[in-house]
């Protein structure tokens, strides 16, 4: 197991058996329920494990978040501080 990858049992088991595109409802729900920090961990883990469809899914989610935003808005969206605050408020 890779300790830094969230939902790794799904990543290593279910997801590797699911070789398809972003249009799948399971994919969309799974990535939408993740914090920005976890999405970046998923991207790193997918890249390390060479799971291209999961890598593309994570990158597509980040791209959607920053599309059409100003550099200042992008900086705020990708700010780790905001993500840490969001995760603390979820507890």
């Amino acid at each position: 197991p890779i300790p830094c990858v969230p939902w790794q049992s799904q990543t290593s088991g279910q997801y590797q058996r699911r070789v398809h595109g972003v249009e799948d409802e399971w994919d969309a729900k799974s990535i939408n329920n993740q914090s920005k920090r976890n999405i970046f961990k998923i991207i790193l883990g997918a890249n390390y494990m060479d799971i291209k469809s999961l890598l593309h899914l994570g990158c597509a989610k980040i791209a959607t978040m920053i599309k059409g935003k100003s550099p200042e808005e992008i900086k705020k969206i990708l700010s780790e501080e905001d993500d840490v605050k969001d995760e603390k408020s979820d507890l």
Side-chain angles (χ1 to χ4, degrees):
I2 300 173
C4 69
V5 180
W7 49 294
Q8 77 187 73
S9 63
Q10 292 177 0
T11 301
S12 61
Q14 292 175 342
Y15 205 88
Q16 287 181 359
R17 290 190 298 266
R18 302 167 66 88
V19 182
H20 44 71
V22 176
E23 65 275 355
D24 185 36
E25 187 177 336
W26 184 91
D27 292 344
K29 285 181 181 179
S30 295
I31 202 72
N32 286 335
N33 290 331
Q34 302 298 318
S35 67
K36 290 181 288 188
R37 177 178 288 213
N38 280 349
I39 294 170
F40 282 110
K41 288 179 181 180
I42 289 166
I43 290 170
L44 291 173
N47 187 48
Y48 177 79
M49 294 185 284
D50 197 30
I51 305 173
K52 294 193 185 318
S53 57
L54 183 57
L55 177 62
H56 291 179
L57 177 65
C59 292
K61 176 62 179 174
I62 297 299
T64 300
M65 292 169 60
I66 64 174
K67 183 178 179 181
K69 305 288 191 224
S70 70
E72 293 81 20
E73 291 172 314
I74 293 171
K75 185 177 178 180
K76 184 173 181 181
I77 289 169
L78 300 180
S79 169
E80 190 172 318
E81 287 180 12
D82 289 344
D83 199 35
V84 171
K85 289 176 188 174
D86 291 345
E87 286 181 357
K88 286 181 181 178
S89 67
D90 290 342
L91 298 177

